[in-house]
Amino acid sequence: DAGVIQSPRHEVTEMGQEVTLRCKPISGHDYLFWYRQTMMRGLELLIYFNNNVPIDDSGMPEDRFSAKMPNASFSTLKIQPSEPRDSAVYFCASSPRQGVGYTFGSGTRLTVV
Amino acid sequence: LAKTTQPISMDSYEGQEVNITCSHNNIATNDYITWYQQFPSQGPRFIIQGYKTKVTNEVASLFIPADRKSSTLSLPRVSLSDTAVYYCLVGDPFSGGYNKLIFGAGTRLAVHP
């Protein structure tokens, strides 16, 4: 099993540009989570999906952020337009069902200049 | 969700046993205790989960006293590679709220030669 796969590993973009982060969960995992980690705020849950349906997006900072899960094997987190304060490491995680441990991806380090 | 308190940092030496205690005074009847480990530049990794008494796996042991108001993660004979941040989370795995567990600041463990 390749685990949770995220791409790209690093992204540097200019303020105002659109950024798309990608995630492939582990096959058979029904839950998918997007987290953001910064030194100041730690690890924050942005949104999670169950069976491809967004369940809770209350952690999404603002309308500039959107997430989709068109099928069970792919999810995207989009930031448009990006701002320097969006610079962080974004993690995707998946789990087979509620209540069990998550498997995290290696993250995408986003730098907005 | 139960609030957790754990030390900000700990130091140890190779070969020693390390015990990290987490306080969760307002733990609810159905709450489980879950620990994650995060190495630098990686996503968190699920270590262990338990409800009461003792749970052991190939990585660690989790000790939970009868009142369940605290728990202790025990790492036997640590090595330099155990240097990481350790997170304690508490929540009801059968409740939707489990999907929004807060990671907090964690305990930064430094293992020295």
Side-chain angles (χ1 to χ4, degrees):
Chain A
D1 189 346
V4 175
I5 300 173
Q6 292 187 246
S7 64
R9 283 282 279 146
H10 302 274
E11 176 81 37
V12 180
T13 190
E14 292 185 346
M15 182 174 62
Q17 295 298 306
E18 177 181 292
V19 175
T20 300
L21 312 182
R22 296 172 176 79
C23 174
K24 176 179 169 57
I26 292 174
S27 176
H29 281 200
D30 291 340
Y31 284 82
L32 183 139
F33 305 82
W34 282 100
Y35 283 85
R36 176 173 69 175
Q37 187 170 37
T38 61
M39 288 294 294
M40 291 296 295
R41 301 174 67 89
L43 203 57
E44 304 174 279
L45 175 67
L46 301 177
I47 185 172
Y48 78 91
F49 295 82
N50 179 24
N51 292 323
N52 314 337
V53 176
I55 303 301
D56 192 315
D57 65 354
S58 59
M60 297 285 261
E62 48 199 272
D63 292 344
R64 297 185 297 107
F65 285 69
S66 63
K68 294 182 180 179
M69 192 165 185
N71 57 61
S73 60
F74 184 65
S75 177
T76 59
L77 178 68
K78 185 178 295 186
I79 308 173
Q80 166 63 16
S82 58
E83 297 182 3
R85 60 191 167 123
D86 301 331
S87 297
V89 180
Y90 290 80
F91 289 105
C92 176
S94 69
S95 69
R97 60 187 183 278
Q98 180 174 292
V100 300
Y102 305 162
T103 300
F104 280 77
S106 298
T108 294
R109 181 173 295 277
L110 173 66
T111 303
V112 183
V113 298
Chain B
L1 297 174
K3 177 178 168 58
T4 61
T5 303
Q6 50 183 126
I8 294 295
S9 64
M10 295 181 66
D11 288 276
S12 184
Y13 293 90
E14 286 188 292
Q16 290 189 335
E17 178 184 76
V18 171
N19 295 310
I20 306 174
T21 296
C22 179
S23 297
H24 28 79
N25 290 320
N26 60 338
I27 189 169
T29 301
N30 295 329
D31 285 346
Y32 279 61
I33 300 138
T34 307
W35 286 80
Y36 283 81
Q37 171 191 56
Q38 185 176 23
F39 298 116
S41 301
Q42 294 186 29
R45 180 177 77 125
F46 171 82
I47 301 178
I48 198 165
Q49 184 180 66
Y51 182 80
K52 62 180 180 180
T53 62
K54 176 183 175 182
V55 180
T56 298
N57 61 24
E58 66 279 3
V59 177
S61 294
L62 178 59
F63 297 92
I64 306 167
D67 66 6
R68 304 200 325 122
K69 293 184 183 299
S70 67
S71 58
T72 299
L73 177 72
S74 182
L75 306 172
R77 299 179 299 282
V78 294
S79 65
L80 296 177
S81 62
D82 292 314
T83 293
V85 178
Y86 293 82
Y87 299 96
C88 166
L89 295 84
V90 173
D92 178 358
F94 304 104
S95 161
Y98 187 88
N99 298 313
K100 300 182 68 174
L101 290 184
I102 297 172
F103 274 76
T107 297
R108 192 171 296 274
L109 173 66
V111 180
H112 305 280

